[in-house]
Amino acid sequence: GSMWRLVPVSPPSQWWVFEVAMYEDAGCRSPLSPRHAAALSDSGDPELAFDGFEGTVLQSSCAGFSCYVGMAFDRAVDVKCIRFLQSDSQQYAVDAVRLEEWRGGGNGVGDGWQLAKTFDDLPLSATPVTLLVHDDCPVFAPPHTWYLITESSGDVGDGATRTVSCSDGSASSTTTCVDGAWSAIDLTCSLDQPGGSTGGVYAGESDASKGSGAILAVCGVLLGLLLILVGVRVWKRHLRVVTRRQAEQDADWGLGLKCIDEERHDPNVSQDPV
């Protein structure tokens, strides 16, 4: 949209806004330059909220009507991040704001303010608060070992991209972070894969079962090895017990033979049969 604004969800009688800055990247590094600032209030200069100085303040009186602060641009822009500083006193602050975007086709059809996002539970802070318009994506990892990330744009914020290529360079595809989720990848590689098949297709999160199957196979192999190791340990323990018992029996048998031999050679023991 060419115009964006912040609107209190529950307008206070006085709203003090020290600074508002809007950015076209999720990392708040590329500030947008407005054509002019706008505010709806019965007092205060809107430019004070967009002059880049945290020591100046727009004091808006919102009593009896809604108020807002916003920016108008020379072109349609996509605001992805906002740095926002309001009063750290509850009397002159709000705990929730709506970010609204003006959408119009120039012919009056569909013109109007559209809700982009609501920011709740705003803290009372003496330093600017960062408001992300779109959610970050999770860290992207190729779904298979034969896929490689060959290009990376941005971190994991909205609009970041990752180019994924087959490890042999035969094909590539690009995925984009869109409001917290990576877009689908359709990529076929001409590589030998587990099981003797060739080629592989990954279409976003919908094909995650392939990775799950591989994980289950690995887990099955590890479980089998663990059972073998446990069986070997049990067999060794059983063998030690059997060996020890056999040794004890042999010792008892040898002691019995020794006693009989001593009795035969003892002169005090009669050798005559009864």
Side-chain angles (χ1 to χ4, degrees), residues 163-186:
T163 298
V164 182
S165 302
C166 300
S167 58
D168 65 348
S170 59
S172 65
S173 181
T174 299
T175 179
T176 303
C177 177
V178 181
D179 201 14
W182 294 102
S183 61
I185 294 177
D186 188 359

PDB file of all heavy atoms in Angstrom, residues 163-186:
ATOM      1  N   THR A 163      18.119 -20.865  -2.348  1.00  0.00           N
ATOM      2  CA  THR A 163      18.166 -21.616  -3.600  1.00  0.00           C
ATOM      3  C   THR A 163      18.764 -22.988  -3.312  1.00  0.00           C
ATOM      4  O   THR A 163      19.871 -23.100  -2.785  1.00  0.00           O
ATOM      5  CB  THR A 163      19.007 -20.895  -4.659  1.00  0.00           C
ATOM      6  OG1 THR A 163      18.399 -19.630  -4.945  1.00  0.00           O
ATOM      7  CG2 THR A 163      19.073 -21.707  -5.944  1.00  0.00           C
ATOM      8  N   VAL A 164      18.005 -24.029  -3.627  1.00  0.00           N
ATOM      9  CA  VAL A 164      18.412 -25.402  -3.364  1.00  0.00           C
ATOM     10  C   VAL A 164      18.742 -26.069  -4.689  1.00  0.00           C
ATOM     11  O   VAL A 164      17.984 -25.978  -5.652  1.00  0.00           O
ATOM     12  CB  VAL A 164      17.293 -26.171  -2.638  1.00  0.00           C
ATOM     13  CG1 VAL A 164      17.732 -27.596  -2.316  1.00  0.00           C
ATOM     14  CG2 VAL A 164      16.880 -25.442  -1.377  1.00  0.00           C
ATOM     15  N   SER A 165      19.893 -26.737  -4.747  1.00  0.00           N
ATOM     16  CA  SER A 165      20.331 -27.396  -5.980  1.00  0.00           C
ATOM     17  C   SER A 165      20.647 -28.859  -5.705  1.00  0.00           C
ATOM     18  O   SER A 165      20.988 -29.242  -4.584  1.00  0.00           O
ATOM     19  CB  SER A 165      21.578 -26.709  -6.541  1.00  0.00           C
ATOM     20  OG  SER A 165      21.342 -25.334  -6.786  1.00  0.00           O
ATOM     21  N   CYS A 166      20.531 -29.666  -6.756  1.00  0.00           N
ATOM     22  CA  CYS A 166      20.986 -31.051  -6.658  1.00  0.00           C
ATOM     23  C   CYS A 166      22.501 -31.036  -6.499  1.00  0.00           C
ATOM     24  O   CYS A 166      23.184 -30.158  -7.020  1.00  0.00           O
ATOM     25  CB  CYS A 166      20.607 -31.829  -7.916  1.00  0.00           C
ATOM     26  SG  CYS A 166      18.829 -31.900  -8.227  1.00  0.00           S
ATOM     27  N   SER A 167      23.033 -31.993  -5.770  1.00  0.00           N
ATOM     28  CA  SER A 167      24.468 -32.001  -5.498  1.00  0.00           C
ATOM     29  C   SER A 167      25.301 -32.185  -6.763  1.00  0.00           C
ATOM     30  O   SER A 167      26.473 -31.838  -6.781  1.00  0.00           O
ATOM     31  CB  SER A 167      24.801 -33.106  -4.491  1.00  0.00           C
ATOM     32  OG  SER A 167      24.396 -34.366  -4.987  1.00  0.00           O
ATOM     33  N   ASP A 168      24.672 -32.691  -7.848  1.00  0.00           N
ATOM     34  CA  ASP A 168      25.408 -32.819  -9.108  1.00  0.00           C
ATOM     35  C   ASP A 168      25.179 -31.622 -10.026  1.00  0.00           C
ATOM     36  O   ASP A 168      25.671 -31.591 -11.148  1.00  0.00           O
ATOM     37  CB  ASP A 168      25.015 -34.111  -9.824  1.00  0.00           C
ATOM     38  CG  ASP A 168      23.551 -34.108 -10.261  1.00  0.00           C
ATOM     39  OD1 ASP A 168      22.801 -33.210  -9.808  1.00  0.00           O
ATOM     40  OD2 ASP A 168      23.153 -34.993 -11.040  1.00  0.00           O
ATOM     41  N   GLY A 169      24.404 -30.638  -9.539  1.00  0.00           N
ATOM     42  CA  GLY A 169      24.166 -29.432 -10.321  1.00  0.00           C
ATOM     43  C   GLY A 169      23.170 -29.595 -11.445  1.00  0.00           C
ATOM     44  O   GLY A 169      23.043 -28.706 -12.296  1.00  0.00           O
ATOM     45  N   SER A 170      22.418 -30.683 -11.470  1.00  0.00           N
ATOM     46  CA  SER A 170      21.510 -30.954 -12.584  1.00  0.00           C
ATOM     47  C   SER A 170      20.258 -30.092 -12.551  1.00  0.00           C
ATOM     48  O   SER A 170      19.634 -29.861 -13.586  1.00  0.00           O
ATOM     49  CB  SER A 170      21.113 -32.433 -12.596  1.00  0.00           C
ATOM     50  OG  SER A 170      20.481 -32.785 -11.362  1.00  0.00           O
ATOM     51  N   ALA A 171      19.844 -29.604 -11.382  1.00  0.00           N
ATOM     52  CA  ALA A 171      18.629 -28.788 -11.284  1.00  0.00           C
ATOM     53  C   ALA A 171      18.678 -27.966 -10.006  1.00  0.00           C
ATOM     54  O   ALA A 171      19.448 -28.259  -9.089  1.00  0.00           O
ATOM     55  CB  ALA A 171      17.384 -29.678 -11.311  1.00  0.00           C
ATOM     56  N   SER A 172      17.839 -26.927  -9.956  1.00  0.00           N
ATOM     57  CA  SER A 172      17.771 -26.080  -8.765  1.00  0.00           C
ATOM     58  C   SER A 172      16.380 -25.482  -8.647  1.00  0.00           C
ATOM     59  O   SER A 172      15.613 -25.437  -9.615  1.00  0.00           O
ATOM     60  CB  SER A 172      18.828 -24.970  -8.816  1.00  0.00           C
ATOM     61  OG  SER A 172      18.572 -24.083  -9.895  1.00  0.00           O
ATOM     62  N   SER A 173      16.054 -25.025  -7.445  1.00  0.00           N
ATOM     63  CA  SER A 173      14.761 -24.400  -7.187  1.00  0.00           C
ATOM     64  C   SER A 173      14.920 -23.427  -6.021  1.00  0.00           C
ATOM     65  O   SER A 173      15.809 -23.597  -5.181  1.00  0.00           O
ATOM     66  CB  SER A 173      13.700 -25.462  -6.860  1.00  0.00           C
ATOM     67  OG  SER A 173      12.431 -24.860  -6.633  1.00  0.00           O
ATOM     68  N   THR A 174      14.084 -22.410  -5.975  1.00  0.00           N
ATOM     69  CA  THR A 174      14.175 -21.379  -4.936  1.00  0.00           C
ATOM     70  C   THR A 174      12.929 -21.387  -4.065  1.00  0.00           C
ATOM     71  O   THR A 174      11.802 -21.497  -4.558  1.00  0.00           O
ATOM     72  CB  THR A 174      14.350 -19.977  -5.570  1.00  0.00           C
ATOM     73  OG1 THR A 174      15.556 -19.948  -6.327  1.00  0.00           O
ATOM     74  CG2 THR A 174      14.419 -18.904  -4.500  1.00  0.00           C
ATOM     75  N   THR A 175      13.134 -21.291  -2.757  1.00  0.00           N
ATOM     76  CA  THR A 175      12.041 -21.195  -1.803  1.00  0.00           C
ATOM     77  C   THR A 175      12.115 -19.845  -1.104  1.00  0.00           C
ATOM     78  O   THR A 175      13.195 -19.302  -0.891  1.00  0.00           O
ATOM     79  CB  THR A 175      12.089 -22.343  -0.775  1.00  0.00           C
ATOM     80  OG1 THR A 175      11.012 -22.188   0.165  1.00  0.00           O
ATOM     81  CG2 THR A 175      13.407 -22.349   0.000  1.00  0.00           C
ATOM     82  N   THR A 176      10.953 -19.289  -0.753  1.00  0.00           N
ATOM     83  CA  THR A 176      10.864 -17.959  -0.151  1.00  0.00           C
ATOM     84  C   THR A 176      10.104 -18.031   1.171  1.00  0.00           C
ATOM     85  O   THR A 176       9.106 -18.758   1.281  1.00  0.00           O
ATOM     86  CB  THR A 176      10.141 -16.984  -1.097  1.00  0.00           C
ATOM     87  OG1 THR A 176      10.823 -16.945  -2.358  1.00  0.00           O
ATOM     88  CG2 THR A 176      10.113 -15.582  -0.520  1.00  0.00           C
ATOM     89  N   CYS A 177      10.588 -17.299   2.167  1.00  0.00           N
ATOM     90  CA  CYS A 177       9.894 -17.223   3.454  1.00  0.00           C
ATOM     91  C   CYS A 177       8.692 -16.297   3.306  1.00  0.00           C
ATOM     92  O   CYS A 177       8.840 -15.111   2.987  1.00  0.00           O
ATOM     93  CB  CYS A 177      10.844 -16.697   4.531  1.00  0.00           C
ATOM     94  SG  CYS A 177      10.055 -16.478   6.152  1.00  0.00           S
ATOM     95  N   VAL A 178       7.504 -16.831   3.526  1.00  0.00           N
ATOM     96  CA  VAL A 178       6.270 -16.066   3.401  1.00  0.00           C
ATOM     97  C   VAL A 178       5.490 -16.180   4.704  1.00  0.00           C
ATOM     98  O   VAL A 178       4.868 -17.201   4.988  1.00  0.00           O
ATOM     99  CB  VAL A 178       5.410 -16.558   2.216  1.00  0.00           C
ATOM    100  CG1 VAL A 178       4.141 -15.708   2.095  1.00  0.00           C
ATOM    101  CG2 VAL A 178       6.196 -16.508   0.919  1.00  0.00           C
ATOM    102  N   ASP A 179       5.585 -15.143   5.519  1.00  0.00           N
ATOM    103  CA  ASP A 179       4.833 -15.056   6.770  1.00  0.00           C
ATOM    104  C   ASP A 179       4.987 -16.311   7.631  1.00  0.00           C
ATOM    105  O   ASP A 179       4.016 -16.913   8.072  1.00  0.00           O
ATOM    106  CB  ASP A 179       3.358 -14.786   6.492  1.00  0.00           C
ATOM    107  CG  ASP A 179       2.637 -14.191   7.711  1.00  0.00           C
ATOM    108  OD1 ASP A 179       3.329 -13.751   8.654  1.00  0.00           O
ATOM    109  OD2 ASP A 179       1.399 -14.176   7.724  1.00  0.00           O
ATOM    110  N   GLY A 180       6.225 -16.708   7.855  1.00  0.00           N
ATOM    111  CA  GLY A 180       6.501 -17.797   8.788  1.00  0.00           C
ATOM    112  C   GLY A 180       6.619 -19.175   8.183  1.00  0.00           C
ATOM    113  O   GLY A 180       6.848 -20.150   8.904  1.00  0.00           O
ATOM    114  N   ALA A 181       6.480 -19.313   6.863  1.00  0.00           N
ATOM    115  CA  ALA A 181       6.574 -20.639   6.232  1.00  0.00           C
ATOM    116  C   ALA A 181       7.348 -20.527   4.922  1.00  0.00           C
ATOM    117  O   ALA A 181       7.183 -19.556   4.174  1.00  0.00           O
ATOM    118  CB  ALA A 181       5.189 -21.215   5.976  1.00  0.00           C
ATOM    119  N   TRP A 182       8.173 -21.529   4.651  1.00  0.00           N
ATOM    120  CA  TRP A 182       8.912 -21.572   3.385  1.00  0.00           C
ATOM    121  C   TRP A 182       8.001 -22.067   2.279  1.00  0.00           C
ATOM    122  O   TRP A 182       7.224 -22.998   2.479  1.00  0.00           O
ATOM    123  CB  TRP A 182      10.124 -22.496   3.500  1.00  0.00           C
ATOM    124  CG  TRP A 182      11.175 -22.000   4.443  1.00  0.00           C
ATOM    125  CD1 TRP A 182      11.401 -22.436   5.719  1.00  0.00           C
ATOM    126  CD2 TRP A 182      12.130 -20.962   4.199  1.00  0.00           C
ATOM    127  NE1 TRP A 182      12.440 -21.735   6.279  1.00  0.00           N
ATOM    128  CE2 TRP A 182      12.910 -20.819   5.372  1.00  0.00           C
ATOM    129  CE3 TRP A 182      12.416 -20.137   3.106  1.00  0.00           C
ATOM    130  CZ2 TRP A 182      13.949 -19.894   5.478  1.00  0.00           C
ATOM    131  CZ3 TRP A 182      13.449 -19.216   3.213  1.00  0.00           C
ATOM    132  CH2 TRP A 182      14.207 -19.094   4.385  1.00  0.00           C
ATOM    133  N   SER A 183       8.069 -21.422   1.118  1.00  0.00           N
ATOM    134  CA  SER A 183       7.244 -21.840  -0.007  1.00  0.00           C
ATOM    135  C   SER A 183       7.702 -23.207  -0.519  1.00  0.00           C
ATOM    136  O   SER A 183       8.804 -23.663  -0.228  1.00  0.00           O
ATOM    137  CB  SER A 183       7.321 -20.797  -1.129  1.00  0.00           C
ATOM    138  OG  SER A 183       8.665 -20.658  -1.591  1.00  0.00           O
ATOM    139  N   ALA A 184       6.837 -23.841  -1.289  1.00  0.00           N
ATOM    140  CA  ALA A 184       7.091 -25.210  -1.752  1.00  0.00           C
ATOM    141  C   ALA A 184       8.262 -25.259  -2.719  1.00  0.00           C
ATOM    142  O   ALA A 184       8.497 -24.338  -3.494  1.00  0.00           O
ATOM    143  CB  ALA A 184       5.847 -25.786  -2.408  1.00  0.00           C
ATOM    144  N   ILE A 185       8.999 -26.362  -2.652  1.00  0.00           N
ATOM    145  CA  ILE A 185      10.108 -26.634  -3.579  1.00  0.00           C
ATOM    146  C   ILE A 185       9.711 -27.815  -4.447  1.00  0.00           C
ATOM    147  O   ILE A 185       9.271 -28.847  -3.944  1.00  0.00           O
ATOM    148  CB  ILE A 185      11.406 -26.969  -2.820  1.00  0.00           C
ATOM    149  CG1 ILE A 185      11.899 -25.745  -2.049  1.00  0.00           C
ATOM    150  CG2 ILE A 185      12.487 -27.444  -3.782  1.00  0.00           C
ATOM    151  CD1 ILE A 185      13.131 -26.027  -1.226  1.00  0.00           C
ATOM    152  N   ASP A 186       9.871 -27.668  -5.750  1.00  0.00           N
ATOM    153  CA  ASP A 186       9.643 -28.780  -6.678  1.00  0.00           C
ATOM    154  C   ASP A 186      10.963 -29.047  -7.379  1.00  0.00           C
ATOM    155  O   ASP A 186      11.352 -28.325  -8.296  1.00  0.00           O
ATOM    156  CB  ASP A 186       8.551 -28.422  -7.684  1.00  0.00           C
ATOM    157  CG  ASP A 186       8.137 -29.621  -8.534  1.00  0.00           C
ATOM    158  OD1 ASP A 186       8.729 -30.700  -8.339  1.00  0.00           O
ATOM    159  OD2 ASP A 186       7.240 -29.472  -9.368  1.00  0.00           O
TER     160      ASP A 186
END
